[in-house]
Amino acid sequence: MSFELDTTPPGPEALAVAEKELRETENNIKEGLAALKKYIEDDETLYFRTDDFFLLIFLRPCKFYAKSAYELMKRTAEFKDKNAALLSNLMPNDEKVAILEHNVVNVIKGRDHKNRRILVVSCGKSWDPSAVSADQIFRVLYLVHQLAIWEPLTQIYGTVVIMDFDGLSMKQVMGMTPSFCMKLLTFIQEAMPLRLKEVHFVKQPFLFNMVWQMFKPFVKDKLKKRMFFHGNKMSSLHAYIPVSHIPKNYGGNLPEIDYTSANWYPILLQHEDKVKEWNSYGYRKSE
């Protein structure tokens, strides 16, 4: 299991899951692609690629309902527009220090028992808000999602997030602003073309309640049902991700995580063309 973008085309097993969970049948694919292409071509305000491979990024999380995929594209464009100060022309090099020297966002190598990608966000003692702001964390997450969307298996199986609050103190609590919470949750719930299957909160101390009060108002029911709070009880987490697919850090049988976001940085650089391309999509710029 190396550090790489997994562009493996879906095999029979993945396609069976896609058919069952995403309505991905030959007919739905054909109709969904044609209808979505027409929506985009008829909309003079939007600029997106319209080839089949690209449109699947939006059709899969919307279960091949073209209108829903089109609405997701519009929300993606709107989010980029509203947050242009943070996201406009964002490239991996812009957050080089945060990625190389501060391991706040990490991706576990390989996939879990359901073939999902696992993202770990360390919001406790390992995060120094005076060195990496909450907005920078968001920018790193945004860069990571820009690569994940190109993985066909991730489009189908989705992603899982582990929010690790080990050693959380007032320093980190003060670093999380309500505007950051709103931005992050708006992105996840409205403008992210990925299937977020579960969010696991682990090792959170009592102080976490202050953080949760900031997040809570922006969490919609669909996401709330996918959020699970485990504290230090790792057996509770293992009910969702078995020990065979989780590192020792979280009570699993896999080796302790001995790599950081720095190990993933070369992959971001290797696929800068994809990041640059994604940056060009959204609302058309007025002349």
Side-chain angles (χ1 to χ4, degrees):
M1 289 186 294
S2 56
F3 301 96
E4 60 187 6
L5 195 67
D6 179 9
T7 53
T8 314
E13 192 183 319
L15 291 173
V17 170
E19 183 175 348
K20 185 183 174 188
E21 296 184 12
L22 309 179
R23 301 173 62 253
E24 190 165 332
T25 61
E26 198 175 324
N27 193 50
N28 285 344
I29 293 169
K30 189 180 170 186
E31 287 182 3
L33 286 168
L36 182 54
K37 203 171 287 189
K38 181 150 183 18
Y39 277 127
I40 298 163
E41 286 167 355
D42 290 349
D43 188 334
E44 292 179 2
T45 66
L46 285 182
Y47 172 67
F48 284 98
R49 245 169 72 180
T50 56
D51 58 281
D52 294 359
F53 184 82
F54 183 82
L55 294 184
L56 284 174
I57 292 172
F58 291 91
L59 282 166
R60 280 182 169 138
C62 295
K63 302 187 176 181
F64 285 85
Y65 292 108
K67 186 74 192 290
S68 299
Y70 169 58
E71 294 297 338
L72 175 57
M73 289 177 120
K74 287 201 289 186
R75 291 194 304 272
T76 299
E78 188 181 343
F79 186 84
K80 286 178 74 176
D81 204 47
K82 276 187 177 174
N83 296 282
L86 273 185
L87 304 176
S88 181
N89 297 319
L90 173 64
M91 294 300 287
N93 190 53
D94 296 324
E95 289 301 342
K96 184 178 180 179
V97 174
I99 297 168
L100 291 183
E101 297 175 20
H102 302 275
N103 184 38
V104 181
V105 178
N106 201 357
V107 179
I108 291 180
K109 289 194 286 184
R111 294 174 178 272
D112 76 358
H113 63 304
K114 292 183 177 178
N115 265 316
R116 304 171 298 189
R117 280 283 197 191
I118 303 179
L119 180 83
V120 178
V121 184
S122 301
C123 302
K125 63 189 176 192
S126 54
W127 172 38
D128 179 1
S130 65
V132 180
S133 69
D135 277 346
Q136 285 180 279
I137 292 178
F138 180 76
R139 278 157 61 96
V140 174
L141 286 168
Y142 194 83
L143 285 166
V144 171
H145 117 278
Q146 282 180 296
L147 289 197
I149 56 172
W150 297 99
E151 297 188 327
L153 293 181
T154 303
Q155 293 170 13
I156 292 170
Y157 291 111
T159 58
V160 173
V161 175
I162 293 176
M163 301 288 291
D164 186 341
F165 285 92
D166 187 31
L168 180 77
S169 70
M170 277 308 292
K171 183 167 78 167
Q172 287 86 22
V173 174
M174 299 300 285
M176 287 185 218
T177 60
S179 68
F180 162 73
C181 298
M182 187 171 82
K183 201 178 297 144
L184 179 64
L185 285 162
T186 301
F187 171 61
I188 288 170
Q189 297 175 112
E190 305 288 338
M192 184 175 77
L194 277 173
R195 305 181 73 203
L196 179 58
K197 301 301 289 176
E198 295 164 8
V199 181
H200 297 284
F201 296 85
V202 300
K203 303 182 183 181
Q204 71 274 26
F206 183 73
L207 196 58
F208 170 76
N209 291 329
M210 290 180 71
V211 177
W212 180 237
Q213 291 312 313
M214 277 192 284
F215 276 94
K216 202 175 177 181
F218 310 115
V219 180
K220 295 180 180 177
D221 280 347
K222 183 181 177 182
L223 181 59
K224 201 173 281 180
K225 287 173 185 163
R226 297 179 180 192
M227 289 179 155
F228 307 96
F229 301 87
H230 307 291
N232 289 309
K233 195 178 174 188
M234 292 303 119
S235 58
S236 169
L237 172 65
H238 302 157
Y240 299 90
I241 308 171
V243 291
S244 55
H245 286 79
I246 206 147
K248 197 175 174 182
N249 310 58
Y250 304 109
N253 294 340
L254 293 182
E256 198 153 328
I257 300 171
D258 60 356
Y259 50 91
T260 69
S261 50
N263 296 92
W264 286 103
Y265 186 65
I267 310 307
L268 282 164
L269 293 182
Q270 190 185 326
H271 296 283
E272 272 189 325
D273 56 329
K274 288 182 171 63
V275 176
K276 200 169 186 178
E277 182 188 323
W278 187 258
N279 286 343
S280 72
Y281 299 136
Y283 284 132
R284 289 184 184 274
K285 307 280 185 285
S286 49
E287 299 300 327

